[in-house]
């Protein structure tokens, strides 16, 4: 099945290479990541009671294990989302005169002169990153508005990238403008919002001081009970929030400065 205005495989000459995309690996990646998350989570939960004395070594160990658990959960969620968005049976096929993209939903083709943008990023020999789909990425734009993407899960992804670059010299050397080069002054405005959130948080903390309550017992004794204005969990949450706001504000300012080079 071909779309309107597109080419059939027979129109594009001999085959150079076929590159099926193994999306099943995403489910395997997600399974291993979930296993790591469960094991590290249980280990962290079991270690937590042993750190009641607050020893620095114990606290660092718990933080490391819980950080590993959180990272594994993020990897698992990312892999599952990408797997759900994939096309079953997807493959790329390069021909002398053009490119074929197919799946169980159908096959479409384009001649090389219909490629309007091409970006090949990363290192196809980085084993772990490539398996996760992060170490190598190919993005192809066509003149009918179609955008194709693949990564290291494509078989011989490096060969696919090299053929695309060799066959599309009219777009391969076009500079890619990053998002901060197209965002204008929006990063600066967002940085101002993040920066304003820090003093607002400090004012919120100051506005909720600890309160002392004097209680007289039946024996005529007076007891002083202190009620925290903000609990320990609240302080931790607000502190992390201020740190994230500071890092985000600095990053956005840097992005704005770098973006000016593209204007």
């Amino acid at each position: 099945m071909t779309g309107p205005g597109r080419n059939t495989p027979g129109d594009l000459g001999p085959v150079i290479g076929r590159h099926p995309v193994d999306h099943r690996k995403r489910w395997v990646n997600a399974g291993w990541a979930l296993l790591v998350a469960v094991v590290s989570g249980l280990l962290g939960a079991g270690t937590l009671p042993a750190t009641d004395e607050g020893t620095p070594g114990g606290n660092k160990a718990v933080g490391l294990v819980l950080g590993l658990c959180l990272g594994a959960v993020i990897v698992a969620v990312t892999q599952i989302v990408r797997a759900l968005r994939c096309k079953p049976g997807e493959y790329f096929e390069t021909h002398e005169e053009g490119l074929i993209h197919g799946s169980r939903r159908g096959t479409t083709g384009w001649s090389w002169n219909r490629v309007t943008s091409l970006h090949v990023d990363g290192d196809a020999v980085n084993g772990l990153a490539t398996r996760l789909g992060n170490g190598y990425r190919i993005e192809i734009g066509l003149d009918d508005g179609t955008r194709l993407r693949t990564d290291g899960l494509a078989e011989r992804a490096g060969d696919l990238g090299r053929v695309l670059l060799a066959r599309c010299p009219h777009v391969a050397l076009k500079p890619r403008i990053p998002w901060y080069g197209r965002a204008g002054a929006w990063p600066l405005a967002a940085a101002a919002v993040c920066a304003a959130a820090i003093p607002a948080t400090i004012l919120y903390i100051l506005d909720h001081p600890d309160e002392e309550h004097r209680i007289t017992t039946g024996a005529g004794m007076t007891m002083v009970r202190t009620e925290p204005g903000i609990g320990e969990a609240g302080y931790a949450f607000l502190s992390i929030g201020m740190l994230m706001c500071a890092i985000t504000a600095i990053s956005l300012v840097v992005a704005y400065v770098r973006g000016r080079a593209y204007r």
Side-chain angles (χ1 to χ4, degrees):
M1 179 178 63
T2 59
R6 299 176 183 178
N7 302 89
T8 62
D11 299 332
L12 302 177
V15 176
I16 298 176
R18 183 181 175 90
H19 309 271
V21 184
D22 190 359
H23 292 296
R24 292 173 298 178
K25 286 183 179 179
R26 298 197 191 279
W27 293 109
V28 177
N29 295 339
W32 280 110
L34 286 175
L35 179 61
V36 171
V38 170
V39 172
S40 57
L42 292 175
L43 182 60
T47 309
L48 191 59
T51 61
D52 288 341
E53 298 179 358
T55 59
N59 291 336
K60 289 181 180 178
V62 172
L64 178 62
V65 172
L66 294 181
L68 177 62
C69 177
L70 178 60
V73 169
I74 293 174
V75 171
V77 171
T78 302
Q79 292 294 307
I80 291 172
V81 170
R82 290 181 179 179
L84 292 174
R85 293 171 56 186
C86 75
K87 297 179 180 179
E90 184 179 19
Y91 69 91
F92 290 81
E93 195 172 84
T94 54
H95 291 243
E96 288 290 343
E97 304 297 331
L99 173 70
I100 294 293
H101 176 250
S103 68
R104 295 175 188 171
R105 302 173 185 175
T107 302
T108 55
W110 303 264
S111 56
W112 293 123
N113 61 0
R114 300 182 62 184
V115 178
T116 57
S117 66
L118 174 64
H119 304 295
V120 180
D121 302 313
D123 182 0
V125 299
N126 186 330
L128 178 60
T130 300
R131 181 184 176 90
L132 294 176
N134 300 325
Y136 194 70
R137 191 165 185 83
I138 299 174
E139 297 183 9
I140 310 166
L142 287 310
D143 61 359
D144 59 0
T146 301
R147 299 196 66 83
L148 304 176
R149 296 178 178 85
T150 191
D151 50 35
L153 294 185
E155 185 177 303
R156 294 178 287 108
D159 293 342
L160 173 60
R162 283 187 286 271
V163 171
L164 290 168
L165 291 171
R167 298 288 171 168
C168 304
H170 57 292
V171 294
L173 299 180
K174 285 185 178 180
R176 182 179 184 182
I177 300 177
W179 66 269
Y180 50 81
R182 305 188 303 267
W186 285 109
L188 201 60
V193 172
C194 292
I198 297 175
T201 303
I202 295 174
L203 290 175
Y204 177 83
I205 294 174
L206 295 176
D207 195 41
H208 292 75
D210 295 345
E211 296 182 359
E212 291 186 352
H213 297 279
R214 296 181 179 273
I215 303 173
T216 303
T217 65
M221 297 179 60
T222 301
M223 299 179 61
V224 178
R225 185 178 64 185
T226 301
E227 291 186 359
I230 301 174
E232 293 183 2
Y235 274 117
F237 176 78
L238 293 173
S239 300
I240 294 174
M242 286 192 292
L243 178 61
M244 295 303 298
C245 284
I247 294 174
T248 303
I250 294 172
S251 301
L252 289 171
V253 170
V254 172
Y256 171 76
V257 172
R258 293 182 62 186
R260 289 176 62 86
Y262 293 93
R263 298 195 289 272

